[in-house]
Amino acid sequence: METHNGTALSEFILMGITDRPELQAPLFGLFLVIYMISVVGNLGMVILTMVDTRLQTPMYFFLKHLSLTDLGYSTTVGPKMLASFVVDENTISYYFCATQGAFYIMFIISEFFILSLMSYDRYVAICNPLLYTVIMSQRVCQLLVAVPYLYSTFVSLLVTVKIFNLSFCGYNVISHFYCDCLSLLSLLCSDMQDIELIIMIFSVFNLISSLLVVLVSYLCILVTILRMNSTGGRHKAWSTCGSHLTVATVFYGTLFFMYLQPKSRHSFDTDKVTSIFYTLIIPMLNPLIYSLRNKDVKYAANRIWRKICNIFS
């Protein structure tokens, strides 16, 4: 039987999060609420940073793009995951599967480097405050953000095209709730050494390079803060880093929990739980962390809310 990509295999079946009927309705309600909070929070953060002049600084420019990437990969996966709770057989077409996988890879890689850019921004602000406006000019910030987007697009296209140009065995059930590239590898009949090597090289590079920028930036920040004579200055410096440090810790902490656990404990169920955390929980938490810990964001939200109330009053 011919099982080449473009002929026999026209769709995949996503197994979803659980096959237990009694959990379908509660989980649907829970994840719908989480996804809606994520969309409202991240979209609100993007709007705030665009319309409020006080938030049009390099720090909030990077925060806007962090919210865009959070919104991007949560929306790439969320609606299809929610559909799995209300349909009998959750199928996804061959080309939509490729598209979903490509966008997810692009947004998640972008998040790695935007987080590292945000740590570099805090490093410049605290360690070189007099040169901050020169180093982090609008043109430089736009260039710094453009590079991760271009790089992540290249990697996502490379990985996706490589996978979908190989031959599948005809078995089309994906043991996940979205088209994860690692789950797709188990369905391939072709030699997978090249694509496995590509995924490993880029994964290691993305993790180490972005994490190294974060660690070095905060090490320099820590040294600078410890040299400050003023207690108030120390507190102010730490307060400007608190939100980003919390977000980065949650993001990288989840990643290390997933990949550093013993192989004997590693399973598809563990991957699903971790993926839920990345695709829904973290995008929901990030705008909450920045809105709850950041006075500028809270003031901007209050100003926008008062303007809206005045319009309709």
Side-chain angles (χ1 to χ4, degrees):
M1 178 180 176
E2 176 66 28
T3 58
H4 192 267
N5 294 4
T7 55
L9 200 58
S10 60
E11 66 178 16
F12 296 95
I13 298 173
L14 297 171
M15 288 187 65
I17 294 174
T18 180
D19 56 358
R20 297 174 61 180
E22 69 274 14
L23 295 178
Q24 301 291 334
L27 288 178
F28 173 80
L30 174 64
F31 291 131
L32 178 61
V33 171
I34 291 173
Y35 176 65
M36 293 306 297
I37 294 173
S38 174
V39 170
V40 172
N42 285 293
L43 196 57
M45 193 67 71
V46 172
I47 294 172
L48 279 179
T49 55
M50 291 178 66
V51 301
D52 195 291
T53 55
R54 298 184 185 182
L55 299 184
Q56 292 176 4
T57 62
M59 182 175 76
Y60 295 108
F61 175 79
F62 294 126
L63 177 57
K64 177 179 69 176
H65 286 278
L66 179 69
S67 295
L68 284 173
T69 56
D70 283 337
L71 184 63
Y73 67 76
S74 62
T75 301
T76 299
V77 174
K80 190 61 181 174
M81 184 202 70
L82 291 171
S84 67
F85 294 111
V86 296
V87 296
D88 294 330
E89 188 175 74
N90 188 30
T91 60
I92 184 170
S93 70
Y94 177 86
Y95 292 105
F96 188 74
C97 181
T99 303
Q100 185 189 55
F103 274 107
Y104 181 78
I105 293 172
M106 183 190 74
F107 284 121
I108 202 72
I109 293 176
S110 297
E111 178 124 343
F112 273 97
F113 292 101
I114 289 174
L115 281 172
S116 63
L117 287 175
M118 294 175 77
S119 65
Y120 174 71
D121 171 73
R122 291 300 83 205
Y123 156 75
V124 177
I126 294 172
C127 300
N128 296 283
L130 299 178
L131 297 176
Y132 180 69
T133 55
V134 177
I135 298 174
M136 304 303 292
S137 66
Q138 184 178 9
R139 187 184 183 93
V140 170
C141 290
Q142 291 172 346
L143 180 62
L144 288 174
V145 165
V147 172
Y149 281 138
L150 292 173
Y151 166 74
S152 62
T153 301
F154 165 74
V155 175
S156 67
L157 289 176
L158 176 64
V159 171
T160 304
V161 170
K162 276 282 187 180
I163 290 176
F164 283 86
N165 274 336
L166 297 174
S167 296
F168 290 91
C169 297
Y171 182 72
N172 67 338
V173 178
I174 300 175
S175 301
H176 221 304
F177 57 88
Y178 71 98
C179 287
D180 176 53
C181 62
L182 296 179
S183 299
L184 287 168
L185 293 182
S186 63
L187 307 182
L188 293 173
C189 289
S190 306
D191 183 10
M192 298 182 292
Q193 287 185 350
D194 288 346
I195 185 60
E196 286 178 337
L197 182 62
I198 289 172
I199 292 174
M200 184 186 71
I201 290 173
F202 280 114
S203 298
V204 172
F205 172 77
N206 296 337
L207 174 60
I208 293 178
S209 59
S210 62
L211 183 58
L212 193 61
V213 173
V214 173
L215 293 177
V216 172
S217 296
Y218 276 104
L219 181 62
C220 294
I221 289 171
L222 178 61
V223 172
T224 302
I225 290 176
L226 291 177
R227 290 177 177 174
M228 291 180 179
N229 297 322
S230 170
T231 304
R234 291 180 182 179
H235 181 268
K236 185 178 179 180
W238 271 123
S239 65
T240 64
C241 302
S243 297
H244 174 263
L245 193 57
T246 304
V247 168
T249 301
V250 172
F251 185 84
Y252 286 104
T254 306
L255 197 68
F256 281 113
F257 171 79
M258 179 178 178
Y259 289 106
L260 296 183
Q261 61 180 315
K263 288 186 178 181
S264 59
R265 296 175 56 189
H266 192 84
S267 65
F268 277 118
D269 289 335
T270 306
D271 289 346
K272 286 181 183 179
V273 172
T274 309
S275 296
I276 290 170
F277 206 82
Y278 270 110
T279 55
L280 290 177
I281 306 299
I282 289 180
M284 178 191 70
L285 290 177
N286 286 353
L288 291 177
I289 291 170
Y290 273 98
S291 61
L292 293 175
R293 294 179 59 92
N294 193 298
K295 292 181 180 179
D296 291 336
V297 173
K298 287 191 286 187
Y299 290 156
N302 288 332
R303 285 194 296 270
I304 297 297
W305 178 251
R306 284 198 297 268
K307 288 181 181 178
I308 293 174
C309 291
N310 290 334
I311 291 173
F312 290 99
S313 62

